[in-house]
Amino acid sequence: MPYAIQAENLTKTFGSFKAVDNISFTVNQGEIFGLLGPNGAGKTTTIKMLCTLLLPSEGKAEIEGLNVVKEANAVRKKIGVVTEKLISYDRLTPMENLNIFGRLYGMDTKTIRERSEEYLKLVDLWDFRKTRVGNFSSGMRQRLNIVRALIHDPEIIFLDEPTIGLDPTTAHNIRELVRRLNKEHKKTVLLTTHYMDEADKLSDRIGIIDYGKIIALDTPTNLKASVGPEATLEDAFIKLTGVKIRDEPTKNNHLVRPRPHFGGRF
Amino acid sequence: MSLSKTIRDILTITYKDLKEFQRNRIGLVFSIIMPMMLIAMFGYMFPSSSNVVHDVTIGIVSLDNGIYGSQLSNTIRIALSNSTAFKLINATSFDDARSMILVGTVKGAIIIPANLTQSLLSKNTGKVTILTNPAETSLSTAITQGFNAIISAASRQLSYTMIKGSISDANPAFILEPIHSEVQSIVSGGGSYFDFVAPGFIGMGVMMSGLTAVGAALAREREVGTLDGLLMAPISRVAIIFGKTLAQTIRNLLQGALIITLAILVFNVHIRGNSLLIAGILVLGTLAFLGLGILATSIAKDQESAQFILGLLQFPMMFLSGVLFPVEQMPVPLQYVSKFLPLTYANEALRKVMILGAGIDAVILPLSILTVLAVVTVSLGVPLFDRAVRR
């Protein structure tokens, strides 16, 4: 059986800036894999390459044995991605949003309706199914974002900071949902987060990425043990990455990371 | 990716875009108000009647008290009293008239010289001076045209009287104008400026929305993050572009229909052509400009460069493609430039069909050029778009 995710010497450069530098790792079927790193370390760029949003500059990546560049559409059917930005249309209702994305994944109307009902109930949004998303709170939007990523029943789920900015209750519910998806539905999960506790509780293995390179990859227990008997995951993270505060690359500092773009607002 | 799946995806994205547009109340209102504003503005700015100015005050300086000076002065006064274009104010001298123009009391003046009667009685031609303000060129042109017509009529009347008095059996009309011309249009009615400009505006609207709409819609989706949702779905890039294109085309067709309806109802514009052929030209124009827009924005390094390239395409087309005035009125070098602008061909086709009621055979050349442009730009634009969003 192929790995759920396999990255081999994966590299991404933007101009002279190397965002991801020759990383290799594998994620097993049914595993929750945490990818941790400071701001600008290359987590999101790695996820974007794995889910076909960015072309790798070098190296290769496979999802269940399918090449992310050559077999991009086959890969897309197998993955569900919760990105940092919420993917939903504000002027449409949750049902309309799910209907649009479900259709794009080739689902029939009946299945879309049934699965929408199941997942919207699971994230407590069923009562708001006819409310326009523009009226939702950030927590409600993020829950819908997760449902949108699950609507086509993907085998592998990418979660890029799924609980960022959410209140503790919503974040807890989302973590529980991830756990259930993994345990009950056997979904493979690749998770990035800044919350060490979240990564510790959820992940089977954790890769720590810094300056575009994977600098450690092990189980949370082993990572903590490498620092000391009472050490937390945060201690291990700080030991590996240092205490220097990092900023997300912006257009105005030297870490310029040109975002892929298309066209402009005219 | 099967063709049927791609078609379904195109329709899904089109439906989504139109649904969002339908719920965007401000956008919806603007898309109705803007054509109405354009029509009202240009309809009233360039009315169809011959009186292009109204109640313009002009001065008259009559320095000749002889028979012909008085006669001409009276003719001018009578002609102007019958017109709503001009109001007359007496001035005493050239300098007085000039001062009145400078302070704005009058917009122009006519000066009948002291020696007019003497010149004419000694069988020499007389000369009347029309004083204009070069700071107001359009108004000066209108005043000059108005005065020239009056002086011409007065001059002809004088000749008529003189011929009649000199040769008893003469036909003064034959002597004055042995051959005269008659203007006849190949279609009945119409001929107003708005008849000319309405198709140009529809063409310009198609060009502007075509060039920018898909790029802008995709940029907006990227900004809010939803483009990633489309790009991560197992659909062809063609479906994304064509879905948005179809939604924009439907919007353009509805807007074009609205402009035509308002133009007919409010400004009595004459539309003669087949509505299906007009719709066909609009669709083809939209595709050609969309392809060009996608190509331009895909090859641009960043958003600012894309705007610059689109500006370079838009502005020459707005002014050099015959939207506001015929291409043939432009200097020859610019006429050559206009041949390289696709809007020239869209306007040519729209005018032939809308104003002249021409059939498809009369617009084969412009339609062929638009078709080639649409095929080439869309074929090149789609893979470039894919590279642009994933690079």
Side-chain angles (χ1 to χ4, degrees):
Chain A
M1 185 181 274
Y3 290 112
I5 301 168
Q6 183 171 23
E8 272 181 41
N9 309 114
L10 205 55
T11 300
K12 182 68 189 178
T13 52
F14 297 106
S16 59
F17 176 64
K18 204 170 259 190
V20 174
D21 189 2
N22 200 34
I23 65 169
S24 300
F25 66 95
T26 55
V27 178
N28 299 314
Q29 302 275 355
E31 186 178 26
I32 299 184
F33 185 89
L35 196 56
L36 305 185
N39 283 336
K43 305 183 295 292
T44 300
T45 306
T46 303
I47 284 196
K48 283 189 168 179
M49 283 190 282
L50 294 173
C51 55
T52 77
L53 277 178
L54 279 180
L55 291 170
S57 305
E58 287 170 43
K60 71 167 187 175
E62 288 181 351
I63 301 292
E64 297 202 336
L66 297 166
N67 188 291
V68 296
V69 176
K70 293 173 187 161
E71 297 161 289
N73 269 336
V75 167
R76 288 172 187 139
K77 286 179 189 168
K78 290 185 175 290
I79 61 174
V81 187
V82 176
T83 54
E84 280 178 284
K85 284 190 176 176
L86 306 174
I87 299 173
S88 54
Y89 295 99
D90 279 4
R91 294 196 181 96
L92 305 184
T93 67
M95 288 300 278
E96 287 167 340
N97 266 288
L98 296 173
N99 190 41
I100 297 291
F101 284 106
R103 281 173 184 274
L104 295 180
Y105 280 89
M107 296 166 66
D108 62 76
T109 311
K110 185 169 171 281
T111 314
I112 294 172
R113 201 172 49 236
E114 287 170 358
R115 205 166 286 158
S116 298
E117 184 174 349
E118 180 192 345
Y119 283 125
L120 286 176
K121 282 180 175 169
L122 196 68
V123 297
D124 263 345
L125 285 179
W126 180 243
D127 291 343
F128 301 96
R129 64 189 179 280
K130 290 179 182 171
T131 306
R132 287 190 199 176
V133 176
N135 299 322
F136 277 17
S137 68
S138 54
M140 292 163 86
R141 283 163 182 260
Q142 182 62 306
R143 272 139 60 200
L144 176 63
N145 199 27
I146 292 172
V147 174
R148 190 265 317 149
L150 298 175
I151 191 72
H152 56 291
D153 197 24
E155 290 155 48
I156 299 164
I157 304 166
F158 290 88
L159 299 168
D160 194 6
E161 303 190 26
T163 56
I164 194 161
L166 299 182
D167 66 86
T169 314
T170 310
H172 170 80
N173 287 339
I174 286 175
R175 280 194 286 272
E176 282 308 305
L177 178 64
V178 173
R179 211 190 306 272
R180 281 178 61 185
L181 287 167
N182 176 251
K183 300 294 176 219
E184 294 172 19
H185 298 269
K186 308 296 177 203
K187 306 291 185 195
T188 303
V189 178
L190 190 151
L191 166 82
T192 80
T193 180
H194 281 304
Y195 303 123
M196 297 297 135
D197 191 43
E198 181 172 281
D200 194 3
K201 282 179 181 164
L202 286 174
S203 309
D204 298 312
R205 286 190 304 145
I206 288 173
I208 295 178
I209 185 169
D210 198 13
Y211 294 111
K213 288 177 182 292
I214 290 194
I215 54 173
L217 201 166
D218 215 327
T219 61
T221 311
N222 288 347
L223 284 172
K224 288 183 280 186
S226 68
V227 181
E230 298 296 317
T232 62
L233 190 60
E234 186 171 308
D235 296 331
F237 183 83
I238 295 294
K239 187 191 171 197
L240 287 161
T241 61
V243 291
K244 187 174 182 289
I245 294 172
R246 318 286 176 80
D247 291 315
E248 283 288 355
T250 67
K251 282 188 174 177
N252 299 321
N253 67 21
H254 70 286
L255 274 178
V256 170
R257 176 182 292 175
R259 289 180 178 275
H261 59 84
F262 175 75
R265 183 74 187 95
F266 311 111
Chain B
M1 195 66 59
S2 74
L3 182 64
S4 63
K5 166 81 165 75
T6 302
I7 291 170
R8 279 202 306 276
D9 294 339
I10 289 172
L11 295 176
T12 302
I13 291 170
T14 303
Y15 169 80
K16 187 270 295 174
D17 273 16
L18 290 177
K19 191 85 184 166
E20 278 195 293
F21 178 64
Q22 181 221 328
R23 292 198 179 150
N24 177 7
R25 283 184 195 164
I26 294 174
L28 207 58
V29 168
F30 267 91
S31 68
I32 295 168
I33 285 179
M34 278 305 286
M36 287 172 76
M37 274 176 59
L38 277 178
I39 288 168
M41 207 167 71
F42 282 89
Y44 286 118
M45 268 170 67
F46 301 99
S48 56
S49 77
S50 57
N51 290 331
V52 290
V53 289
H54 292 282
D55 289 339
V56 174
T57 310
I58 42 134
I60 181 164
V61 182
S62 186
L63 300 173
D64 183 10
N65 293 322
I67 176 172
Y68 292 123
S70 303
Q71 196 178 326
L72 181 60
S73 179
N74 281 337
T75 306
I76 290 169
R77 282 176 206 285
I78 292 163
L80 294 187
S81 68
N82 292 333
S83 155
T84 57
F86 299 110
K87 285 192 294 190
L88 212 56
I89 287 182
N90 284 325
T92 54
S93 64
F94 179 94
D95 287 339
D96 185 30
R98 190 175 174 279
S99 303
M100 287 166 84
I101 292 174
L102 278 176
V103 296
T105 316
V106 296
K107 298 294 182 186
I110 185 163
I111 296 162
I112 301 169
N115 62 355
L116 181 70
T117 301
Q118 196 186 342
S119 276
L120 294 174
L121 286 174
S122 52
K123 302 202 182 330
N124 288 320
T125 54
K127 187 175 75 178
V128 172
T129 305
I130 298 167
L131 209 54
T132 61
N133 178 1
E136 297 184 54
T137 45
S138 326
L139 191 57
S140 294
T141 306
I143 290 169
T144 308
Q145 283 173 353
F147 276 146
N148 274 335
I150 292 167
I151 290 163
S152 221
S155 188
R156 193 175 293 110
Q157 185 58 42
L158 183 61
S159 300
Y160 195 92
T161 312
M162 284 174 163
I163 292 165
K164 203 74 179 155
S166 312
I167 315 165
S168 58
D169 61 344
N171 178 356
F174 172 74
I175 293 171
L176 283 171
E177 200 176 12
I179 300 170
H180 63 99
S181 59
E182 178 194 64
V183 177
Q184 194 173 341
S185 171
I186 58 169
V187 291
S188 60
S192 74
Y193 180 72
F194 199 77
D195 279 342
F196 170 82
V197 89
F201 267 111
I202 293 170
M204 191 173 78
V206 166
M207 180 273 287
M208 293 190 77
S209 62
L211 275 181
T212 60
V214 171
L218 288 167
R220 188 176 61 83
E221 290 223 24
R222 172 173 291 289
E223 192 69 29
V224 297
T226 47
L227 183 61
D228 283 352
L230 297 181
L231 293 172
M232 287 185 299
I235 59 174
S236 160
R237 273 33 185 167
V238 171
I240 299 177
I241 290 177
F242 275 75
K244 292 198 163 292
T245 301
L246 184 57
Q248 188 58 43
T249 306
I250 292 170
R251 282 172 59 172
N252 277 354
L253 283 176
L254 292 175
Q255 202 164 29
L258 186 67
I259 293 179
I260 290 171
T261 310
L262 288 173
I264 293 169
L265 293 178
V266 183
F267 294 102
N268 199 27
V269 166
H270 301 78
I271 309 287
R272 296 179 179 80
N274 182 307
S275 51
L276 274 179
L277 188 53
I278 296 171
I281 298 168
L282 293 183
V283 170
L284 212 50
T286 303
L287 285 174
F289 291 118
L290 279 169
L292 209 55
I294 292 163
L295 207 58
T297 46
S298 295
I299 59 171
K301 279 188 173 179
D302 51 39
Q303 197 168 312
E304 286 81 9
S305 312
Q307 283 178 345
F308 183 70
I309 294 173
L310 288 173
L312 274 180
L313 289 170
Q314 276 179 344
F315 284 105
M317 280 203 270
M318 279 168 67
F319 297 107
L320 304 179
S321 300
V323 173
L324 296 168
F325 44 83
V327 169
E328 292 73 18
Q329 284 184 358
M330 297 191 307
V332 174
L334 292 182
Q335 289 188 30
Y336 282 112
V337 173
S338 78
K339 291 187 195 304
F340 291 95
L341 304 174
L343 184 58
T344 306
Y345 301 100
N347 281 343
E348 183 189 331
L350 281 170
R351 286 214 169 94
K352 279 185 177 171
V353 176
M354 288 173 66
I355 300 177
L356 305 178
I360 193 162
D361 51 325
V363 289
I364 283 289
L365 180 66
L367 289 190
S368 305
I369 291 170
L370 288 176
T371 307
V372 170
L373 186 72
V375 170
V376 170
T377 54
V378 171
S379 311
L380 291 173
V382 172
L384 273 173
F385 161 75
D386 191 31
R387 296 291 300 181
V389 293
R390 295 176 74 196
R391 63 188 160 196

